[in-house]
Short mmCIF file of all heavy atoms in Angstrom, two decimals:
data_model
loop_
_atom_site.label_atom_id
_atom_site.label_comp_id
_atom_site.label_asym_id
_atom_site.label_seq_id
_atom_site.Cartn_x
_atom_site.Cartn_y
_atom_site.Cartn_z
N SER A 277 -9.50 -12.26 -15.68
CA SER A 277 -8.32 -11.31 -15.49
C SER A 277 -7.64 -11.33 -14.20
O SER A 277 -6.67 -10.56 -14.07
CB SER A 277 -8.88 -9.83 -15.73
OG SER A 277 -9.40 -9.79 -17.07
N GLY A 278 -8.00 -12.22 -13.34
CA GLY A 278 -7.32 -12.39 -12.06
C GLY A 278 -7.60 -11.22 -11.17
O GLY A 278 -8.40 -10.36 -11.24
N GLN A 279 -6.88 -11.31 -9.94
CA GLN A 279 -7.15 -10.38 -8.89
C GLN A 279 -6.68 -8.89 -9.20
O GLN A 279 -5.85 -8.62 -10.10
CB GLN A 279 -6.27 -10.83 -7.71
CG GLN A 279 -6.40 -10.09 -6.41
CD GLN A 279 -7.79 -10.05 -5.83
OE1 GLN A 279 -8.63 -9.30 -6.12
NE2 GLN A 279 -8.00 -10.99 -4.87
N ARG A 280 -7.26 -7.93 -8.61
CA ARG A 280 -6.86 -6.55 -8.76
C ARG A 280 -5.49 -6.38 -8.13
O ARG A 280 -5.23 -7.04 -7.05
CB ARG A 280 -7.79 -5.54 -8.09
CG ARG A 280 -9.04 -5.39 -8.92
CD ARG A 280 -9.99 -4.46 -8.29
NE ARG A 280 -11.14 -4.07 -9.22
CZ ARG A 280 -12.30 -3.57 -8.79
NH1 ARG A 280 -12.51 -3.29 -7.45
NH2 ARG A 280 -13.24 -3.25 -9.66
N THR A 281 -4.64 -5.57 -8.73
CA THR A 281 -3.31 -5.29 -8.26
C THR A 281 -3.26 -3.95 -7.71
O THR A 281 -3.26 -3.71 -6.50
CB THR A 281 -2.28 -5.50 -9.35
OG1 THR A 281 -2.56 -4.65 -10.53
CG2 THR A 281 -2.19 -6.94 -9.85
N TRP A 282 -3.19 -2.95 -8.55
CA TRP A 282 -3.07 -1.44 -8.08
C TRP A 282 -4.37 -0.69 -8.33
O TRP A 282 -5.15 -1.02 -9.13
CB TRP A 282 -1.94 -0.76 -8.79
CG TRP A 282 -0.64 -0.98 -8.30
CD1 TRP A 282 0.22 -2.10 -8.52
CD2 TRP A 282 0.15 -0.11 -7.38
NE1 TRP A 282 1.31 -1.96 -7.79
CE2 TRP A 282 1.40 -0.75 -7.18
CE3 TRP A 282 -0.18 1.10 -6.85
CZ2 TRP A 282 2.32 -0.17 -6.36
CZ3 TRP A 282 0.83 1.70 -6.07
CH2 TRP A 282 2.02 1.03 -5.78
N THR A 283 -4.60 0.30 -7.40
CA THR A 283 -5.70 1.21 -7.50
C THR A 283 -5.09 2.58 -7.64
O THR A 283 -4.14 2.98 -6.94
CB THR A 283 -6.52 1.24 -6.22
OG1 THR A 283 -7.20 -0.08 -6.00
CG2 THR A 283 -7.50 2.37 -6.23
N PHE A 284 -5.73 3.37 -8.67
CA PHE A 284 -5.37 4.83 -8.81
C PHE A 284 -6.65 5.50 -8.78
O PHE A 284 -7.57 5.42 -9.63
CB PHE A 284 -4.63 4.96 -10.21
CG PHE A 284 -3.23 4.46 -10.26
CD1 PHE A 284 -3.03 3.11 -10.36
CD2 PHE A 284 -2.17 5.29 -10.17
CE1 PHE A 284 -1.70 2.62 -10.39
CE2 PHE A 284 -0.89 4.82 -10.16
CZ PHE A 284 -0.62 3.43 -10.31
N MET A 285 -6.78 6.42 -7.78
CA MET A 285 -8.02 7.18 -7.53
C MET A 285 -7.73 8.64 -7.52
O MET A 285 -6.77 9.10 -6.86
CB MET A 285 -8.62 6.74 -6.22
CG MET A 285 -10.03 7.36 -5.96
SD MET A 285 -10.60 7.02 -4.24
CE MET A 285 -9.54 8.00 -3.25
N ILE A 286 -8.48 9.37 -8.31
CA ILE A 286 -8.32 10.79 -8.38
C ILE A 286 -9.55 11.56 -7.90
O ILE A 286 -10.57 11.38 -8.40
CB ILE A 286 -7.96 11.23 -9.82
CG1 ILE A 286 -6.76 10.34 -10.41
CG2 ILE A 286 -7.52 12.66 -9.91
CD1 ILE A 286 -6.55 10.46 -11.92
N TYR A 287 -9.23 12.58 -6.98
CA TYR A 287 -10.34 13.50 -6.57
C TYR A 287 -10.57 14.50 -7.70
O TYR A 287 -9.64 15.16 -8.22
CB TYR A 287 -9.97 14.15 -5.21
CG TYR A 287 -9.71 13.24 -4.11
CD1 TYR A 287 -8.43 13.15 -3.56
CD2 TYR A 287 -10.74 12.51 -3.48
CE1 TYR A 287 -8.25 12.25 -2.47
CE2 TYR A 287 -10.55 11.77 -2.42
CZ TYR A 287 -9.36 11.60 -1.94
OH TYR A 287 -9.12 10.76 -0.90
N LEU A 288 -11.88 14.74 -8.03
CA LEU A 288 -12.22 15.68 -9.08
C LEU A 288 -12.68 17.00 -8.48
O LEU A 288 -12.75 18.03 -9.30
CB LEU A 288 -13.27 15.11 -9.96
CG LEU A 288 -12.88 13.87 -10.68
CD1 LEU A 288 -14.01 13.26 -11.56
CD2 LEU A 288 -11.54 13.95 -11.48
N ASN A 289 -13.02 17.08 -7.24
CA ASN A 289 -13.43 18.34 -6.65
C ASN A 289 -13.22 18.22 -5.12
O ASN A 289 -12.73 17.20 -4.56
CB ASN A 289 -14.96 18.58 -6.93
CG ASN A 289 -15.84 17.70 -6.13
OD1 ASN A 289 -15.56 16.55 -5.92
ND2 ASN A 289 -16.94 18.31 -5.73
N GLU A 290 -13.66 19.27 -4.43
CA GLU A 290 -13.63 19.32 -2.91
C GLU A 290 -14.91 19.57 -2.36
O GLU A 290 -15.43 20.67 -2.40
CB GLU A 290 -12.50 20.42 -2.57
CG GLU A 290 -11.18 20.18 -3.18
CD GLU A 290 -10.31 21.47 -3.23
OE1 GLU A 290 -10.61 22.37 -2.47
OE2 GLU A 290 -9.31 21.50 -3.93
N PRO A 291 -15.56 18.55 -1.70
CA PRO A 291 -16.81 18.85 -1.09
C PRO A 291 -16.69 19.83 0.14
O PRO A 291 -15.48 20.03 0.60
CB PRO A 291 -17.21 17.41 -0.59
CG PRO A 291 -15.91 16.69 -0.50
CD PRO A 291 -15.13 17.25 -1.59
N VAL A 292 -17.72 20.42 0.42
CA VAL A 292 -17.66 21.50 1.49
C VAL A 292 -17.26 20.88 2.80
O VAL A 292 -16.47 21.43 3.57
CB VAL A 292 -19.06 22.24 1.60
CG1 VAL A 292 -18.94 23.31 2.69
CG2 VAL A 292 -19.50 22.85 0.21
N ALA A 293 -17.72 19.70 3.14
CA ALA A 293 -17.38 19.02 4.40
C ALA A 293 -17.51 17.60 4.16
O ALA A 293 -18.43 17.06 3.49
CB ALA A 293 -18.22 19.52 5.51
N GLY A 294 -16.58 16.76 4.82
CA GLY A 294 -16.65 15.20 4.76
C GLY A 294 -16.12 14.75 3.49
O GLY A 294 -15.48 15.42 2.64
N GLY A 295 -16.27 13.44 3.27
CA GLY A 295 -15.91 12.77 2.10
C GLY A 295 -14.35 12.34 2.01
O GLY A 295 -13.81 12.06 1.01
N ALA A 296 -13.81 12.34 3.18
CA ALA A 296 -12.36 11.93 3.30
C ALA A 296 -12.18 10.45 2.97
O ALA A 296 -13.18 9.70 3.13
CB ALA A 296 -11.76 12.17 4.66
N THR A 297 -11.05 10.04 2.63
CA THR A 297 -10.75 8.64 2.38
C THR A 297 -9.90 8.18 3.56
O THR A 297 -8.77 8.72 3.75
CB THR A 297 -9.97 8.30 1.07
OG1 THR A 297 -10.64 8.85 -0.06
CG2 THR A 297 -9.75 6.80 0.90
N ARG A 298 -10.50 7.22 4.30
CA ARG A 298 -9.78 6.96 5.65
C ARG A 298 -9.26 5.52 5.53
O ARG A 298 -9.95 4.53 5.16
CB ARG A 298 -10.73 7.07 6.83
CG ARG A 298 -10.08 6.78 8.15
CD ARG A 298 -10.94 7.00 9.35
NE ARG A 298 -10.38 6.59 10.65
CZ ARG A 298 -9.37 7.22 11.23
NH1 ARG A 298 -8.72 8.20 10.76
NH2 ARG A 298 -8.90 6.76 12.41
N PHE A 299 -7.97 5.30 5.94
CA PHE A 299 -7.39 4.01 6.08
C PHE A 299 -7.38 3.70 7.54
O PHE A 299 -6.32 4.21 8.27
CB PHE A 299 -5.88 3.98 5.40
CG PHE A 299 -6.01 3.99 3.90
CD1 PHE A 299 -6.25 5.26 3.27
CD2 PHE A 299 -5.74 2.83 3.15
CE1 PHE A 299 -6.27 5.32 1.86
CE2 PHE A 299 -5.76 2.94 1.83
CZ PHE A 299 -6.03 4.12 1.18
N PRO A 300 -8.34 2.99 8.08
CA PRO A 300 -8.43 2.86 9.53
C PRO A 300 -7.26 2.16 10.24
O PRO A 300 -6.93 2.43 11.34
CB PRO A 300 -9.75 2.03 9.73
CG PRO A 300 -10.06 1.41 8.40
CD PRO A 300 -9.44 2.33 7.31
#
Side-chain angles (χ1 to χ4, degrees):
S277 295
Q279 184 63 273
R280 281 179 174 162
T281 57
W282 277 81
T283 295
F284 288 76
M285 184 186 74
I286 306 170
Y287 298 112
L288 302 180
N289 76 320
E290 300 165 16
V292 178
T297 305
R298 179 170 176 77
F299 288 77

